[in-house]
Amino acid sequence: MHTSWLTAEQYAQLSTQVHDAYLAPLPAFQVLAISGPDNRKYLQGQTTCDIETLTADTFLRGAHCDAKGKMWAIFQLFAKDDALLMVAFRDELQASAAQLKKFGVFSKVSFDQTTEPYAVLGLGGSQAEQLVTQLGFSLPAADGQVSHGQHGSLLRLAAAHFMLVLPQTQAQQLMTADWPLAAPTVWLRAHILQGLAYLEQPLIGEAVPQMLNLQAIDAISFTKGCYIGQETVARLKYRGGNKRASYILHANTNELPVAGTAIELQLEQNWRRIGQVINAVNINDQLWLLALLPNDITPADTLRLSAEQPVLLQQLPLPYSLN
């Protein structure tokens, strides 16, 4: 895991044993600043979300797709001064940035990750709202809202599930102060349990937005103008044809599968590959994962993780409706 703004000693001291509220550094998530007078117009033609609805107090979830509707990235986007800040997992952000820069030469837009390098932290726990106040932020009133503090911005992804974006110098100061710090896996587990995905390298360019449930979390606008990949995304909504979705699975095991690992379905005495792992985290031999599966899967179906010692998986409910 990329830990450029953390020391090895700091990273080693992070614990999965947290209570009430926590801050978790997320060094594998990065920030791309998109500037220039055409930045909103340019992104409007590149992404699934409606940039015209973005305000100072909100952020957008969205995806960046290729011409066939397959995703380069899933991201959070918010405004900071005259720039738009795109937050995503490092693999997908690098893939998306390469494509954005390729076509951005025709617009008045620039892309930067170095002028003011940012850090990303996760914030959560049952007492997360109190921690938000202690950090000097006002509490975002609803999911999709952002609160700006003296040095950073706080995005409310879900109830008690936040993302904090701030300059690396301020993040380093947080790491040396007396805050309840946790390992990244603690926040990532909560992210999975919210049914929220990010793209690791094996899944980049492999899935359309509806396969990762982006329509269920308001990450696709079906009323905005044209954007790259729109034809495929719109066809799946209005004509059907998408047969896959993402589901939350759990198991008691010490396995930690990588993205792309096969998920199998039992058919009488046989097993057949029907899906793959999107994201996974294991804490104290408890495995949680998001899996890409047929959208007619039910909790009664018997699933297992393909491994040297196959692991039976339990389906957990999604916190939102796919309909």
Side-chain angles (χ1 to χ4, degrees), residues 19 29-30 38 53 88 90 102 138 147 166 175 180-181 206 219 224 228 240 298 303 308:
H19 304 283
F29 284 78
Q30 299 177 350
D38 291 344
T53 66
R90 60 165 182 259
K102 182 187 299 184
S138 59
S147 172
L166 68 172
M175 296 302 297
L181 300 175
E206 295 296 323
K224 63 176 281 188
I228 294 177
T298 73
L303 302 174
E308 186 173 339

Side-chain angles (χ1 to χ4, degrees), residues 48 64-72 205-210 227-233 236:
T48 62
H64 179 206
C65 303
D66 64 19
K68 296 181 180 179
K70 301 294 182 67
M71 291 183 292
W72 297 110
E206 295 296 323
V208 296
Q210 287 96 327
Y227 59 88
I228 294 177
Q230 181 203 23
E231 182 178 351
T232 298
V233 176
L236 291 179

Side-chain angles (χ1 to χ4, degrees), residues 31-109:
V31 182
L32 179 68
I34 305 167
S35 306
D38 291 344
N39 61 352
R40 291 185 179 235
K41 179 180 178 182
Y42 179 64
L43 287 186
Q44 183 75 337
Q46 295 284 323
T47 65
T48 62
C49 52
D50 188 352
I51 306 298
E52 294 182 358
T53 66
L54 185 64
T55 71
D57 300 321
T58 63
F59 72 91
L60 297 175
R61 293 188 177 110
H64 179 206
C65 303
D66 64 19
K68 296 181 180 179
K70 301 294 182 67
M71 291 183 292
W72 297 110
I74 301 168
F75 57 80
Q76 285 73 224
L77 185 81
F78 66 98
K80 179 74 162 55
D81 299 325
D82 294 329
L84 298 175
L85 299 188
M86 179 179 287
V87 188
F89 187 72
R90 60 165 182 259
D91 295 352
E92 56 186 341
L93 190 65
Q94 291 169 4
S96 181
Q99 298 301 315
L100 289 172
K101 292 175 182 178
K102 182 187 299 184
F103 299 102
V105 296
F106 303 107
S107 300
K108 295 177 181 179
V109 62

Side-chain angles (χ1 to χ4, degrees), residues 2-24:
H2 182 61
T3 57
S4 61
W5 60 273
L6 292 176
T7 68
E9 181 181 6
Q10 287 172 335
Y11 196 81
Q13 292 176 349
L14 297 173
S15 173
T16 58
Q17 303 301 314
V18 295
H19 304 283
D20 300 331
Y22 62 83
L23 272 175

Side-chain angles (χ1 to χ4, degrees), residues 48-50 59-62 143 213-221:
T48 62
C49 52
D50 188 352
F59 72 91
L60 297 175
R61 293 188 177 110
D143 301 349
N213 306 351
L214 266 63
Q215 78 286 358
I217 58 171
D218 298 324
I220 306 173
S221 171

Side-chain angles (χ1 to χ4, degrees), residues 21 127-137 178-180:
Q127 301 298 318
E129 295 184 0
Q130 295 180 18
L131 183 55
V132 167
T133 302
Q134 293 168 8
L135 286 166
F137 290 92
D178 188 24
W179 295 105

